[in-house]
Amino acid sequence: MADNSNINLLNKAFDIIELFVNERREMGVTEISRKLNLVKSGTFRILNTLKDRGFIFQNPQTKAYGLGLKFYFVGAEVLSKMPLCTAARQALDPLCDYFHQNFYFAIPFLATKGEQKIIVIYVTNNKDVDNVFINAGTIISAHCLAIGQSILANLSDSELLTIKDSVLEKITDNTIDNWSDLDKKIAVIRDKNVAISENTYKQGFMDIAVTVYDSMHYPIGAIGVFGDNIKIKGISYNSLVRKMHAAAAKISEIL
């Protein structure tokens, strides 16, 4: 019984952590308990234990809780050891040096049922390029960027049907916010084997992306370049896409 009780407590702690990840905001004990159908006193004890270990912090003004900095360091360590990150580093760092732009690698991240997001797990580090809002650990709705659209375009029609009830968030005036237009965009990506988005995530910025496949030709992620519209358009498009496809193939080979 004691073992089952410990496992149950551990599951509740993970439920709380996952709730913070999905909500992406601070929450109080009452709200957490209500959302997870937990006893308030038990929730309070779990939160305090996690707080004592540095995984949860408490806002001194609002008394609400949020994910602590310890998760950042744990996440950074995990990312640095992931085979996908190692493969992305070997394939994308040369592109960064050649084109003097930052490249990134993202994989699917299903936050909630029916809502397709992506999580960026590697970004090159060109110090001459200003931070452009995308870093390792950034979670983005898949339809908002070419890198996410590239992943969506390589899903089967039956897989796409499972997420077509989801609402497409509008980030800028250029963001696709309906499935009819997104289906048309997916058809173009499938035909061209490359995705391009402009001003859809941040005004004045664009991204170009290609898909990365596993040994069974299933899309495991995508690589992309994201930056200032004028600077990206100043790069030879054919050369950029050709080298990006080669980098995607290299990642697949390494894995």
Side-chain angles (χ1 to χ4, degrees):
M1 291 296 294
D3 288 343
N4 289 336
S5 177
N6 289 336
I7 291 172
N8 188 39
L9 190 63
L10 186 60
N11 280 327
K12 290 178 180 178
F14 281 124
D15 287 341
I16 291 173
I17 291 168
E18 289 179 350
L19 179 64
F20 280 121
V21 172
N22 291 331
E23 293 288 335
R24 305 179 71 181
R25 60 185 175 86
E26 297 176 14
M27 288 178 287
V29 177
T30 301
E31 182 180 9
I32 295 169
S33 302
R34 177 176 52 80
K35 283 181 174 292
L36 297 177
N37 195 27
L38 300 176
V39 176
K40 189 173 179 180
S41 59
T43 302
F44 182 76
R45 286 195 297 271
I46 293 172
L47 287 168
N48 275 325
T49 299
L50 291 171
K51 185 176 73 171
D52 290 342
R53 299 292 297 271
F55 288 101
I56 293 290
F57 79 92
Q58 186 175 25
N59 188 316
Q61 294 181 323
T62 65
K63 304 302 180 183
Y65 295 86
L67 293 180
L69 278 175
K70 201 163 188 178
F71 275 112
Y72 173 83
F73 297 109
V74 171
E77 183 65 17
V78 171
L79 283 176
S80 69
K81 299 295 191 299
M82 284 180 64
L84 280 174
C85 290
T86 301
R89 184 180 300 109
Q90 294 179 30
L92 298 185
D93 282 5
L95 290 183
C96 173
D97 294 336
Y98 186 88
F99 290 108
H100 304 292
Q101 292 291 327
N102 276 326
F103 290 77
Y104 59 112
F105 179 41
I107 60 176
F109 179 85
L110 193 59
T112 57
K113 185 177 180 180
E115 182 182 9
Q116 185 64 63
K117 293 181 179 288
I118 59 171
I119 180 169
V120 178
I121 65 171
Y122 182 74
V123 180
T124 57
N125 184 27
N126 187 327
K127 293 182 172 58
D128 295 328
V129 178
D130 292 335
N131 184 299
V132 287
F133 326 109
I134 297 180
N135 301 288
T138 300
I139 299 172
I140 309 168
S141 296
H143 70 284
C144 294
L145 279 170
I147 198 166
Q149 295 170 2
S150 181
I151 294 173
L152 291 176
N154 282 276
L155 297 177
S156 66
D157 290 338
S158 59
E159 287 174 308
L160 285 174
L161 278 175
T162 65
I163 60 174
K164 283 196 172 181
D165 288 336
S166 61
V167 176
L168 302 180
E169 180 185 10
K170 195 169 186 66
I171 305 298
T172 73
D173 290 340
N174 295 82
T175 307
I176 294 175
D177 62 352
N178 65 83
W179 275 98
S180 176
D181 288 342
L182 185 56
D183 282 337
K184 294 175 184 177
K185 183 69 177 289
I186 284 173
V188 172
I189 295 170
R190 288 174 172 176
D191 179 58
K192 302 292 185 182
N193 203 24
V194 62
I196 304 173
S197 288
E198 189 171 351
N199 302 319
T200 59
Y201 185 66
K202 193 75 175 178
Q203 288 292 345
F205 290 84
M206 69 180 296
D207 72 316
I208 300 173
V210 301
T211 310
V212 177
Y213 303 93
D214 63 13
S215 59
M216 302 297 291
H217 203 68
Y218 186 83
I220 58 172
I223 61 173
V225 57
F226 178 78
D228 179 89
N229 287 347
I230 296 175
K231 292 181 179 178
I232 298 296
K233 289 179 179 179
I235 299 173
S236 169
Y237 175 79
N238 290 335
S239 174
L240 175 63
V241 173
R242 184 174 64 254
K243 289 183 180 294
M244 285 177 64
H245 276 301
K250 183 175 182 179
I251 293 174
S252 300
E253 289 172 5
I254 294 172
L255 297 175

